[in-house]
Amino acid sequence: EDEIKEVFYSFSHIHCKEQLWDCEGKEVDNFVVKKLLTKYEPYFSKHVLGKEMFLTLRVPNPSVEKGEAKVLLETLESIPRNFDAAKLFYNKDVAPIFEIALPMTTDARELIRIAEYYKHHVIGKQHNKLGNEITIAEWIGSFQPETLRIIPLIEEKDSILNPEKIVGEYVKSEKIQDYQRVWLARSDPALNYGNLATILMLKISF
């Protein structure tokens, strides 16, 4: 509950435009959107979540965090439910969450797998029929947003020095044409390689 309050405070008092909601390595509240909109209704009635300010999920990387791997799937499943909460609140289609960040990204395939899973198993399942009678979408409603943006959070030395390989393959595979965000880590590499070495790596990467 304190973290819900912290998100609101970041938006309303510090005037942040984006808040990272950490779903990695701890218990997390997947009802964050519903709680924000109902608890702070006057504020979010005037400031549309997903249009004026943004909530970005940081998810576990199954390639590295095996014990937390299924948390990724639970988090992806929560995105359409959060869309429904915002749609009821704003009375229009608004995606309050449409981007996630994947930590410790070292390979484009890690991003592609998430994009494909979301596309085919989270959104795509709505077209499946139940008993040859009705589709899942007809039964419980449509699943949105249809696409999910994935931000690689790059933290390992070789990947920091060659981010274009990871990002280029992912952008080509998913046919992304407008923009692609990329995060290059600072704090964890500084712990692993030293502060000065990390600064030099980041400057080379840029």
Side-chain angles (χ1 to χ4, degrees):
E1 294 303 319
D2 287 343
E3 289 185 338
I4 299 288
K5 193 180 298 182
E6 180 185 318
V7 173
F8 170 69
Y9 188 86
S10 296
F11 288 146
S12 62
H13 291 70
I14 306 178
H15 305 296
C16 293
K17 292 296 183 184
E18 181 175 22
Q19 178 77 4
L20 195 63
W21 189 250
D22 197 352
C23 306
E24 181 197 14
K26 62 172 189 173
E27 293 183 11
V28 67
D29 194 335
N30 282 327
F31 289 86
V32 54
V33 169
K34 184 177 181 179
K35 289 186 176 182
L36 283 172
L37 297 181
T38 54
K39 193 170 184 178
Y40 304 105
E41 181 178 352
Y43 179 82
F44 287 106
S45 293
K46 296 178 181 178
H47 305 87
V48 180
L49 187 62
K51 295 293 183 183
E52 297 177 46
M53 64 269 305
F54 305 94
L55 195 62
T56 303
L57 307 182
R58 174 183 166 125
V59 299
N61 186 332
S63 299
V64 182
E65 302 161 283
K66 300 295 184 182
E68 297 291 317
K70 291 183 178 63
V71 174
L72 167 64
L73 306 188
E74 294 170 7
T75 303
L76 295 178
E77 291 287 353
S78 75
I79 293 174
R81 188 185 68 243
N82 284 313
F83 182 97
D84 290 347
K87 184 175 182 177
L88 284 171
F89 184 82
Y90 293 114
N91 200 28
K92 61 181 179 180
D93 287 351
V94 178
I97 298 172
F98 57 87
E99 270 187 316
I100 65 171
L102 183 69
M104 297 174 279
T105 302
T106 59
D107 193 309
R109 288 173 293 183
E110 296 169 339
L111 306 170
I112 295 168
R113 286 172 193 149
I114 295 175
E116 293 298 300
Y117 182 89
Y118 184 81
K119 191 186 309 176
H120 296 297
H121 299 287
V122 177
I123 298 300
K125 69 184 174 191
Q126 66 183 309
H127 305 298
N128 296 338
K129 280 197 170 183
L130 300 170
N132 292 321
E133 294 178 352
I134 61 173
T135 64
I136 292 177
E138 290 169 333
W139 181 40
I140 59 173
S142 63
F143 287 62
Q144 296 184 72
E146 292 185 355
T147 58
L148 179 67
R149 291 189 173 275
I150 306 169
I151 306 166
L153 172 52
I154 302 174
E155 307 181 51
E156 185 264 335
K157 174 173 66 70
D158 291 338
S159 300
I160 289 175
L161 294 173
N162 297 283
E164 65 279 359
K165 185 176 188 300
I166 297 170
V167 180
E169 288 182 21
Y170 170 62
V171 166
K172 183 179 179 181
S173 173
E174 295 303 308
K175 299 179 174 60
I176 299 170
Q177 297 182 349
D178 46 2
Y179 74 91
Q180 172 62 44
R181 299 174 73 191
V182 181
W183 292 350
L184 300 178
R186 172 70 181 267
S187 57
D188 281 1
L191 288 173
N192 293 329
Y193 310 116
N195 193 46
L196 179 58
T198 298
I199 292 172
L200 292 174
M201 281 194 297
L202 294 175
K203 286 184 177 293
I204 292 169
S205 184
F206 288 132

